[in-house]
Amino acid sequence: PTVVTAITGAHLPVIADRCPDLTGQATEVAARYASLMNGYAACRETFSHCRPVDDAELDKLQENVEGFLKLCRKEVVSRSLGNITPKLHLLEEHAVPLMRRLRVGLGLLAEQGAESLHSSLNSLETKLKNIPNELLRLKAIAEQYLLTTTAEASSLRPQPKKRKSNSQ
């Protein structure tokens, strides 16, 4: 949201200074674009990751996507400023059903997902570097990665035991 405000509001002081007659119109356009960008940001937070998702998150994503596309149709399509792109169609019609089937975010299906995967694997490699046998270390990395990213495996993961307090 702070970034959206910075992007959509950066031009307003210049317009107010140089073209005061256009200030109202520029403010209206900035508000429309801020709404669109915030709508997309709400969707992106829920689908652009590699972690397991539950039905509540998916229901919220469906609600956010519907709101965002409704806003797109109102602010962009109805003003003849553009059309619903293939990527927006994929978001509207296919993202939530695919996530319901996979039970994880769509991060691995995009460039950001590859970066996230790389970061996760590097972190695991650092954590497990004390295993001297390279094959056993790679196997441990793969197992740990699957335990943290697979929805089915995450439900089977044992919960950490609570430590006993020393102040008894």
Side-chain angles (χ1 to χ4, degrees):
T2 306
V3 173
V4 171
T5 304
I7 292 170
T8 58
H11 65 287
L12 294 176
V14 175
I15 291 173
D17 183 48
R18 296 183 184 170
C19 309
D21 295 344
L22 297 176
T23 302
Q25 190 177 0
T27 302
E28 182 184 318
V29 169
R32 281 201 311 265
Y33 277 93
S35 294
L36 284 166
M37 294 171 95
N38 285 323
Y40 179 72
C43 295
R44 186 180 182 281
E45 286 175 11
T46 311
F47 72 77
S48 187
H49 58 78
C50 304
R51 63 178 169 70
V53 292
D54 59 24
D55 287 328
E57 284 181 282
L58 293 170
D59 293 343
K60 184 66 176 167
L61 175 59
Q62 184 67 47
E63 183 181 307
N64 288 340
V65 167
E66 288 170 2
F68 173 62
L69 267 294
K70 183 178 180 181
L71 196 59
C72 283
R73 287 185 173 88
K74 176 185 171 199
E75 299 295 345
V76 179
V77 177
S78 69
R79 296 172 185 270
S80 299
L81 299 174
N83 294 314
I84 299 299
T85 65
K87 283 186 179 180
L88 289 177
H89 165 76
L90 289 172
L91 177 62
E92 183 177 36
E93 297 295 328
H94 305 289
V96 175
L98 181 59
M99 287 176 67
R100 281 195 198 281
R101 195 173 85 220
L102 298 176
R103 307 305 291 177
V104 295
L106 300 177
L108 290 175
L109 301 177
E111 184 178 338
Q112 300 96 326
E115 290 302 319
S116 175
L117 172 64
H118 188 247
S119 172
S120 297
L121 292 175
N122 281 342
S123 175
L124 285 171
E125 189 172 10
T126 300
K127 190 163 121 179
L128 300 170
K129 69 181 177 186
N130 62 339
I131 299 174
N133 183 301
E134 185 179 9
L135 184 59
L136 291 176
R137 185 173 56 251
L138 290 173
K139 182 180 178 195
I141 290 169
E143 288 172 349
Q144 286 295 309
Y145 183 75
L146 285 172
L147 281 174
T148 59
T149 59
T150 306
E152 295 85 19
S154 68
S155 67
L156 300 174
R157 189 177 328 129
Q159 296 301 311
K161 293 180 181 178
K162 294 192 179 202
R163 293 183 179 190
K164 292 181 183 178
S165 159
N166 288 336
S167 60
Q168 292 179 350

